[in-house]
Amino acid sequence: MKIVIQRVSEASVTIDGKLHSSIGPGFMVLVGVSDDDTADDLEYVVQKCVNLRVFDDENGVMNRSILDVGGEILAVSQFTLLASTRKGNRPSYIKAARHELAVPMYEEFCRMTSTLTGRETRRGVFGADMKVSLINDGPVTIVIDSKNK
């Protein structure tokens, strides 16, 4: 499982020209599920996400987690995170999970982060053509891959 976390001051998802969901300060998280991901992979990325210390403390040092600051999370499914670009110039998505695995894993990521933060994780719509807007704060962008523990 691969996630890209962006610390944001705000983020939103628009579908068919209508605002679907939005957050204030927190994390915009792109979630990619691989065809061989397990519950262990999910647990790993969720724990890393909610405990990642990338928010400033009183001394201006990135030492606080989203739990510490009460930030929000907007999670968007993104199979293209699993793209292989080893051969040629057209990415291969063969490692991306099929819907049967990807949807439940994405939904469980959202449920688990909601439970751990005590705030509803806002979502995109799996498989939809989404327009994602964000203001990256810092910028701070972190990639977490459960296969690189």
Side-chain angles (χ1 to χ4, degrees):
M1 194 165 201
K2 189 180 289 187
I3 62 174
V4 176
I5 298 172
Q6 297 179 74
R7 187 180 73 182
V8 298
S9 54
E10 63 184 60
S12 64
V13 171
T14 301
I15 301 170
D16 294 329
K18 296 179 183 164
L19 179 65
H20 177 74
S21 58
S22 63
I23 62 167
F27 286 155
M28 168 62 216
V29 183
L30 303 174
V31 180
V33 180
S34 179
D35 62 357
D36 61 352
D37 282 337
T38 66
D40 289 340
D41 294 292
L42 176 62
E43 178 71 22
Y44 178 80
V45 298
V46 166
Q47 289 299 323
K48 284 291 188 181
C49 180
V50 301
N51 291 296
L52 192 65
R53 297 182 340 193
V54 295
F55 293 93
D56 291 347
D57 64 15
E58 61 280 351
N59 298 314
V61 176
M62 287 196 295
N63 200 28
R64 299 179 78 199
S65 71
I66 199 158
L67 299 173
D68 297 326
V69 301
E72 298 180 276
I73 296 175
L74 173 59
V76 173
S77 62
Q78 181 137 15
F79 76 94
T80 60
L81 291 179
L82 284 298
S84 172
T85 57
R86 289 189 78 172
K87 292 171 41 177
N89 293 315
R90 183 170 183 215
S92 169
Y93 304 107
I94 197 161
K95 290 298 291 174
R98 298 180 56 85
H99 281 72
E100 300 81 36
L101 174 62
V103 172
M105 292 284 270
Y106 167 70
E107 293 294 329
E108 187 65 4
F109 176 89
C110 294
R111 188 195 66 72
M112 290 172 73
T113 54
S114 291
T115 298
L116 292 169
T117 62
R119 300 182 73 136
E120 179 186 357
T121 294
R122 304 291 181 189
R123 306 170 188 209
V125 173
F126 194 94
D129 180 13
M130 297 174 273
K131 306 302 179 209
V132 178
S133 298
L134 60 98
I135 297 177
N136 199 323
D137 180 17
V140 174
T141 302
I142 308 287
V143 178
I144 298 173
D145 188 337
S146 64
K147 305 304 188 226
N148 295 330
K149 295 179 193 170

